[in-house]
Amino acid sequence: MERETRAAVSLTTLELTALWALSSRPGLGIQALADALHVDHAVVSRLAKQLVRKGVARRVVDPNDRRKAPLELTDAGVAKAERGRRLLDHANARIASGFTDDELATVARFLENLIAVGKETAPLESP
């Protein structure tokens, strides 16, 4: 997917995921975007700079608190987010091809469990 994303929209999958988060919730600040992406604040600080440099997002100074500068998509960002969404939809259709709904439900349940375990702070080898 990373290779396809870079070829289609010249963005990493993380950058594209950030665009999708910003398109569904315009004006996200750095911490809110970090929470939405489930990554560290520092990662999103660097990511925001990349998105601005690539011309797919811009910072907008909050008129009520000039210290805040949430992100919003540029027209180029909207177009790349839409193109990336079509790419993901096509990839998901190819991946799911040949599986029954019950099989896909089992895979989804497995992945949800994997995510839940990944969020735990206890060691995997707990008694």
Side-chain angles (χ1 to χ4, degrees):
M1 189 64 186
E2 188 72 32
R3 182 185 71 242
E4 296 288 331
T5 301
R6 286 178 186 267
V9 293
S10 302
L11 297 172
T12 67
T13 53
L14 180 60
E15 290 168 340
L16 185 56
T17 304
L19 295 189
W20 292 333
L22 290 169
S23 67
S24 66
R25 294 173 49 201
L28 285 177
I30 297 296
Q31 188 57 55
L33 185 56
D35 293 344
L37 298 177
H38 306 288
V39 296
D40 187 74
H41 183 278
V43 171
V44 174
S45 290
R46 289 187 303 275
L47 177 63
K49 290 175 186 171
Q50 290 171 269
L51 296 174
V52 170
R53 185 176 42 79
K54 291 183 176 189
V56 294
R58 69 178 148 258
R59 292 201 175 265
V60 180
V61 177
D62 183 331
N64 298 322
D65 185 348
R66 300 194 63 74
R67 296 171 296 172
K68 295 181 182 177
L71 292 166
E72 67 178 27
L73 295 182
T74 62
D75 291 342
V78 170
K80 287 186 183 234
E82 290 171 0
R83 171 75 176 109
R85 177 61 64 191
R86 289 190 303 274
L87 177 69
L88 180 65
D89 290 345
H90 179 73
N92 284 338
R94 285 185 60 199
I95 292 166
S97 177
F99 290 93
T100 67
D101 288 344
D102 287 343
E103 290 170 329
L104 290 173
T106 299
V107 170
R109 196 164 50 90
F110 172 81
L111 293 174
E112 288 167 0
N113 193 50
L114 181 64
I115 292 167
V117 169
K119 289 181 180 178
E120 292 176 359
T121 57
L124 291 176
E125 286 190 28
S126 57

